[in-house]
Amino acid sequence: MKPVHQIGILNFTLFEDAPEFYANYEFLNVKSLRSYSDKLKLSVLDLTRIDLATDEDKAKELDYWAELFKSKTWEEIRMLAEKEPIFSEVATKVQKLSKEEKIRLQCLAREDYYRTQQDFHNHYKEQLKALDKALTEKDKALTEKDKALAEKDKALAEQQKKIEELQAKLEAKGN
């Protein structure tokens, strides 16, 4: 069986009560404390505790790698590359990949912008259709109410005319 190594690069301290810069863990039986296998290992590199790097860690240049992973600017990476020749190649590769990543992210952002604009356009188009339909229905309802009101006005005018006729007759009889 080939060895399996998992390397966790953390930006926090895994165990606050026992901080370590670099630690290796193996699986073991909790009763007998016997190692399960030396083929399975977990390694943890704590970027916040570079100050705890041992001489062995420094000999393996783990502190340099941690500084590289912790770097936030190209200037920091360039300074690391000046100290160690191997980092020059790594810095060049990281910068190239980052540029490609920036381009990819820009493309994704542009696609997301156009998709969002299209979604807004479609949403407002649907809203306008719904509003237009509602206004058309309200116009029809108002037209029907106007007709009904006109008929009532006509009936009321006829009733008023009859009342006036009856009042005139009543006055004529009373004189």
Side-chain angles (χ1 to χ4, degrees), residues 127-141:
Q127 292 294 319
L128 284 173
K129 281 182 184 178
L131 186 59
D132 189 46
K133 184 179 178 181
L135 286 174
T136 301
E137 290 174 7
K138 294 282 184 185
D139 282 347
K140 285 181 185 177

Side-chain angles (χ1 to χ4, degrees), residues 107-119:
C107 291
L108 286 174
R110 184 180 62 229
E111 287 174 16
D112 186 50
Y113 170 79
Y114 287 132
R115 189 173 30 255
T116 302
Q117 292 301 315
Q118 188 63 43
D119 288 345

Side-chain angles (χ1 to χ4, degrees), residues 8-14 44-48:
I9 301 172
L10 308 180
N11 199 22
F12 61 91
T13 301
L14 189 60
V44 178
L45 185 69
D46 182 352
L47 299 179
T48 64

Side-chain angles (χ1 to χ4, degrees), residues 26-36:
E26 293 181 4
F27 294 100
L28 61 93
N29 181 311
V30 292
K31 287 183 184 175
S32 66
L33 301 180
R34 184 175 188 168
S35 177
Y36 175 74

